[in-house]
Amino acid sequence: MRIGVFTSGGDAPGMNACIRAVVRSALAAGHEVVGIRRGYRGLLEEDFHRDEDGDIRMKLRSVSDITRLGGTILHTSRSSDFRTEEGLKKAAEILRKYAIDALIPIGGDGTFHGAVALSRYWKGQIVGCPGTIDNDLLGTDFTIGFATAVQTAVDAVDKLRDTADAHERMFLIEVMGRHCGSIALYCAIASGAEIAAIPETPTRIDEIVRRLHAFTQRKKTSVMMIVAEGDEQGGALELQRQLQERSCPYEMRVLALGHLQRGGSPVFADRILAARLGDFAVQSISAGKTGVMAGDIGGRLALTPFGETYATHRQVAPEDLHLLEIMAT
Ligand code: F6P
């Protein structure tokens, strides 16, 4: 079989490790692999990864020493042209022209929406791998890139704690996660932050102000508040404004970590997850599966139909919310 692999949507640390796993597992199983550059946009432009000899078939050495690299050697994009009927038909024609039998897209919900749309016009197999820092997909406990993004955020909060303590200030640190508070919650627990504002639970300003006053009574010298960018109150700057209005007892500073969280060498957990899921996606294609995402649920590899992976927003575990509350008091 000829398998096409590509990365799409926001890049995530570990995407390269996943590309490598797909290439090496596929070659070991006797398949051919072609790398499509720049996601769905690259597919429409017939933009394939080529080795020095110009061949589009990836070799073992095409993916040498990329496990430790952040970003994606295949590059990525968000393409709106692709989703038009014309774009989907064109993509299907190109896949037939290059005799591609199956696709392994590595990405998040937008990528899988694209895969479902494409399958209306193309009858090849599609098995996806979850590559997004947000950890917002159902069908896997963790997405590739999430652990590294959390580690990056934790490293930043650790540093900010030093300066916050020195000046007896409060920091509002905004982390990524469009609709999902996973990064914020894990970062808050791991860094010992006092407060997390996430879209899954109501952020009550009066309640936060009450807690801040209690902190001053206890002579707490610094406060770290982790804010998910998707929080319903509107992010860290807006929360600072609202807290200011209600006479926040701490002097505040705001920092949005932004795309910093998407870069860097993947931590071991993301590399292992990427290797396992990349290999599982290839095995699943060999077994005739299609329209599904490879995931890891409770330590077991599992396939979930694309539609179910993004049907609802992932909920945070109530135990984790409780843990944060206990740790912060
Ligand atoms: O989906 C991953 C993500 O990093 C989100 O956390 C964030 O909201 C978004 O992508 C940013 O997208 P862009 O790369 O288009 O700025």
Side-chain angles (χ1 to χ4, degrees), residues 9-11 78 108-109 131-134 136 175-180 183 229-230 258-259 261-262:
D11 61 307
R78 301 188 197 272
D109 59 345
T132 165
I133 64 166
D134 286 3
D136 57 349
V175 297
M176 276 190 165
R178 237 180 318 202
H179 311 291
C180 179
I183 297 178
E229 64 173 339
H259 293 79
Q261 297 154 94
R262 292 236 295 256

